[in-house]
Amino acid sequence: MAKSSALPKYIQLSEMLIREIAAGRLADGSRLPPEREMAEDLGVAVGTLRKALADVEVKGLLHRVQGSGNYVQHRPAVESVYAFFRLELLKGGGLPTADVLSVDRLAKPDGFAQLGGHKEGHRIRRLRSLDGVLIALEEIWLDAGQRDQISISALSESLYHFYRHELGLVIASVEDRIGVDVVPDWSPTAFHLNAGEVTGYIERVSWTATKEPAEFSRTWYDASRANYISRMGKG
Amino acid sequence: MAKSSALPKYIQLSEMLIREIAAGRLADGSRLPPEREMAEDLGVAVGTLRKALADVEVKGLLHRVQGSGNYVQHRPAVESVYAFFRLELLKGGGLPTADVLSVDRLAKPDGFAQLGGHKEGHRIRRLRSLDGVLIALEEIWLDAGQRDQISISALSESLYHFYRHELGLVIASVEDRIGVDVVPDWSPTAFHLNAGEVTGYIERVSWTATKEPAEFSRTWYDASRANYISRMGKG
DNA sequence: AGGAATTTGTGCGTATGTATC
DNA sequence: AGATACATACGCACAAATTCC
């Protein structure tokens, strides 16, 4: 922990906890030890542990109750995926880029076979970067019924842009599962995936859409209850 | 600030900052004073101010850069709306309920006229609650082309459920603007909107969808860069 | 019913690390 | 290289919610 390249402790802790929960080593609904006790066992300050726990809660894997305890929740890691989703959607902060490695038309894998009307799909493999820093490997399957042929050049820009303008689709919602220590066999050497401690894995099924804008809404809210809202929204 | 019902200081601070930014009293791109100086002026500890600033950043109205400063961003308050959106979508934590006040078919308001093919729309007014606590007033306009008639009973459950099963629509993405100190003229007395300090206002335009699932993706990511990702995703 | 014990939430202050200018 | 500014980490005291006796 002397090197400057080390991650912040609270991130290391939250990643560790997420792996423990996602891997099922902590039972659903079970309560963690008291924060002070846990912090002492881990050799960190309570505040540091609390920051880690808050992070895990945001990712939807923990339910924190004042006066009671911290409870494990076995739900998909919605928030961490949302961060990826936002990269292309909002383009806020940093420059998101993607290099398309390959586009192939193949028979669909098992989990995907039930979706869409065709037996084949387009498999797109991409490298995702932020400000030139490689952050993710991505494999996307698109139902062949959408298009006969897809070229790499057509995907040059944002996938979101491609969906919207070429296919008329808009990403509607995502459903994810999280796994642990799974490494793809096509990982390039440029992307140093650590097969041990810090490798995460997300599997996503998402719904798509075609309709034009057909809704308009207005919401007035009482900001004095905003804390309550966000607190419940996290749970 | 003596009463026990008062909100935490850091929430009060973040709400104050959000109002200042949303109302345009802080110019877009302008830099806030250094945190220590700001904390001293406001009479709070640096840690407390930092918690408030982090909250404002999550809501997308602030860009924080280590070693440089905190910069104002005039973008829609995406995250705060996302909290509302999640209420029906995830149903995590707390019991979200909605009371439909009225459903009327009327000529569409100006801002909505450009969307959809019809001149009329269904205006739905609802009360949103979490665990029995009234948290928001909502007015939704739905293009009349979707349905000739909409009854209150059909909306009894979740609006999301109604969209999905009755209209075949899935909410795809939202675009919001934030305003300040706007109070609807149909606010019931039960909902104590404070016209002064703490009233927020959100106006939303959202896209909807019909298509069935047609995409499947897998993403492998390097968790050692998760901090970088989430930091950029927020900005 | 009620009070004590337990547990998380809030807030403060400080020291040190790291990025930016 | 130095100054500035945000990020991390620690520890403590008290408040608030829950649980238990």
Side-chain angles (χ1 to χ4, degrees), chain A residues 86 134 137 139 141 163 171 182 198 200 202 204 206-207 209 213 215-221 223 225-226 232-233, chain B residues 15 86 92 134 137 139 141 163 182 198 200 202 204 206-207 209 213 215-221 223 225 233:
Chain A
R86 293 189 69 197
L134 195 52
L137 306 178
E139 182 178 285
W141 288 82
Y163 285 167
I171 294 175
V182 180
V198 292
I202 294 172
R204 178 191 296 181
S206 68
W207 284 256
E215 190 201 290
F216 180 92
S217 79
R218 286 175 175 166
T219 300
W220 289 267
Y221 73 102
R225 285 167 182 158
M232 302 315 293
Chain B
E15 290 292 339
R86 293 186 70 198
L134 195 52
L137 306 179
E139 182 177 286
W141 288 81
Y163 285 167
V182 179
V198 293
I202 295 172
R204 176 192 296 180
S206 68
W207 284 256
E215 189 200 289
F216 181 91
S217 79
R218 284 174 176 165
T219 300
W220 290 265
Y221 73 103
R225 286 168 181 158

Side-chain angles (χ1 to χ4, degrees), chain B residues 43-180:
Chain B
V44 300
V46 179
T48 304
L49 174 61
R50 281 180 57 77
K51 207 167 176 181
L53 293 172
D55 191 49
V56 179
E57 184 185 38
V58 166
K59 290 182 170 60
L61 297 174
L62 197 64
H63 183 45
R64 314 187 65 193
V65 183
Q66 179 178 171
S68 179
N70 296 300
Y71 301 89
V72 173
Q73 268 184 330
H74 278 187
R75 66 172 67 223
V78 177
E79 289 294 338
S80 63
V81 173
Y82 186 64
F84 281 102
F85 188 58
R86 293 186 70 198
L87 294 186
E88 288 191 327
L89 205 55
L90 299 181
K91 300 207 172 188
L95 177 65
T97 54
D99 294 317
V100 178
L101 294 179
S102 63
V103 180
D104 297 299
R105 180 165 179 152
L106 303 166
K108 288 187 282 190
D110 288 347
F112 186 35
Q114 56 191 0
L115 311 175
H118 286 64
K119 293 176 182 176
E120 295 189 332
H122 299 286
R123 188 191 65 187
I124 304 166
R125 286 178 166 173
R126 305 198 305 166
L127 303 180
R128 306 278 315 256
S129 303
L130 257 186
D131 288 334
V133 179
L134 195 52
I135 55 168
L137 306 179
E138 199 173 48
E139 182 177 286
I140 300 167
W141 288 81
L142 200 59
D143 191 289
Q146 299 295 336
R147 229 3 143 66
D148 281 350
Q149 286 281 336
I150 295 179
S151 66
I152 290 186
S153 61
L155 294 169
S156 60
E157 289 191 36
S158 157
L159 244 199
Y160 179 72
H161 181 270
F162 175 78
Y163 285 167
R164 185 83 179 89
H165 292 89
E166 296 296 320
L167 303 181
L169 299 175
V170 180
I171 295 175
S173 62
V174 295
E175 192 176 300
D176 302 272
R177 289 189 299 277
I178 192 167
V180 191

Side-chain angles (χ1 to χ4, degrees), chain B residues 13-49:
Chain B
L13 286 173
S14 75
E15 290 292 339
M16 182 267 288
L17 289 168
I18 287 171
R19 285 198 307 276
E20 291 294 311
I21 295 171
R25 285 188 285 272
L26 292 173
D28 193 10
S30 66
R31 200 185 70 174
L32 297 182
E35 293 180 353
R36 279 171 179 75
E37 181 180 324
M38 206 171 157
E40 190 175 10
D41 291 346
L42 294 168
V44 300
V46 179
T48 304
L49 174 61

Side-chain angles (χ1 to χ4, degrees), chain A residues 172-193:
Chain A
S173 63
V174 295
E175 191 177 299
D176 303 272
R177 287 189 300 275
I178 191 166
V180 190
D181 300 340
V182 180
V183 182
D185 56 7
W186 52 280
S187 172
T189 55
F191 189 52
H192 303 290
L193 271 171

